[in-house]
Amino acid sequence: MTTVKGDCNRKLGCDTVTIENTDLKYSINVDTYIANTFSALHISPLIVENDLFDDLIQMMLKIKGSESLGQRKGFLAFTAYRASPQSLSANEVVKFDKVWTNNGDGYDPSSGVFTAPKAGLYHFAAVVMSANGKFLFLRLYHNNAKITSSYVNDKRYKTGTFDVVLTLVNGDKVSIKSGGNNQSIYSDSEYYSTFSGNLIAM
């Protein structure tokens, strides 16, 4: 059940509205919200009708409710990175051994492998940097199937990228592996090499 407290759900010019439902309670500064919203739309708040104002309040409530629902379901996402180089032999997994985000605990920084906690459509992206003056040949795998590759070769540091959408079932694995021997992926305290993924649909 949702309730709107205060005398400003039917008129403009008051200070604060408190909105409550079973999942959340929050207050908004009405004057600030209206000024910011209609300034962005190049519309004067003086021409806003009562019904439109009520619609705006309900829109904000729906947005907040969606955010709360997403938090309750535990949105699946991870971003991992390296803070140091890694030497690679053929077919060795790149271990992005530091983690910023790991909602759902699908990514294992000790192995460099993401394991899908549930079935769905996932988006994966990675940025990988070669050592100075060295080539870097990497492949992204879905279980044991090669999906795509990245190859860079330059006299300086160079970055390659991955960007794919995959349909996974529960327990499927995604990883990035070396495509050759005697390679090195570069990173340092600037975190040049990262690996991310998230569930986008079920």
Side-chain angles (χ1 to χ4, degrees):
M1 178 179 180
T2 299
T3 58
V4 179
K5 297 182 178 180
D7 62 349
C8 50
N9 61 321
R10 284 293 178 188
K11 66 180 182 177
L12 301 178
C14 55
D15 292 329
T16 303
V17 171
T18 299
I19 300 175
E20 297 182 5
N21 68 11
T22 56
D23 298 311
L24 58 122
K25 175 180 179 181
Y26 62 97
S27 297
I28 61 170
N29 183 292
V30 175
D31 293 335
T32 299
Y33 173 73
I34 293 172
N36 290 344
T37 301
F38 288 94
S39 174
L41 295 175
H42 305 290
I43 300 174
S44 170
L46 296 177
I47 67 173
V48 179
E49 300 293 337
N50 288 339
D51 288 345
L52 179 55
F53 181 70
D54 285 345
D55 290 342
L56 291 172
I57 293 294
Q58 293 305 316
M59 179 181 69
M60 290 181 64
L61 183 62
K62 288 179 181 179
I63 293 171
K64 283 292 185 180
S66 297
E67 291 173 354
S68 178
L69 181 63
Q71 292 169 359
R72 290 198 305 273
K73 287 186 175 179
F75 185 73
L76 296 176
F78 77 92
T79 295
Y81 64 98
R82 286 200 61 85
S84 62
Q86 179 189 353
S87 297
L88 297 166
S89 57
N91 297 316
E92 184 175 355
V93 176
V94 178
K95 296 178 182 177
F96 299 87
D97 55 351
K98 309 293 182 183
V99 173
W100 281 311
T101 303
N102 199 11
N103 294 348
D105 297 322
Y107 180 75
D108 179 5
S110 66
S111 67
V113 177
F114 172 80
T115 303
K118 60 178 63 177
L121 192 66
Y122 287 80
H123 175 245
F124 295 95
V127 177
V128 291
M129 179 174 279
S130 65
N132 190 17
K134 304 293 185 180
F135 78 92
L136 181 62
F137 176 34
L138 302 175
R139 296 179 175 126
L140 185 143
Y141 282 82
H142 173 195
N143 295 325
N144 294 320
K146 180 184 68 176
I147 301 301
T148 185
S149 302
S150 171
Y151 180 84
V152 294
N153 188 13
D154 201 276
K155 295 180 179 179
R156 299 166 295 177
Y157 297 98
K158 196 77 172 179
T159 55
T161 60
F162 293 93
D163 193 50
V164 298
V165 173
L166 299 173
T167 299
L168 307 182
V169 299
N170 184 25
D172 273 3
K173 300 181 184 300
V174 175
S175 61
I176 295 174
K177 299 180 181 180
S178 172
N181 279 310
N182 302 318
Q183 297 192 105
S184 179
I185 184 171
Y186 182 80
S187 200
D188 58 24
S189 59
E190 296 296 329
Y191 314 136
Y192 294 110
S193 296
T194 62
F195 182 30
S196 299
N198 64 281
L199 176 67
I200 57 177
M202 294 179 60

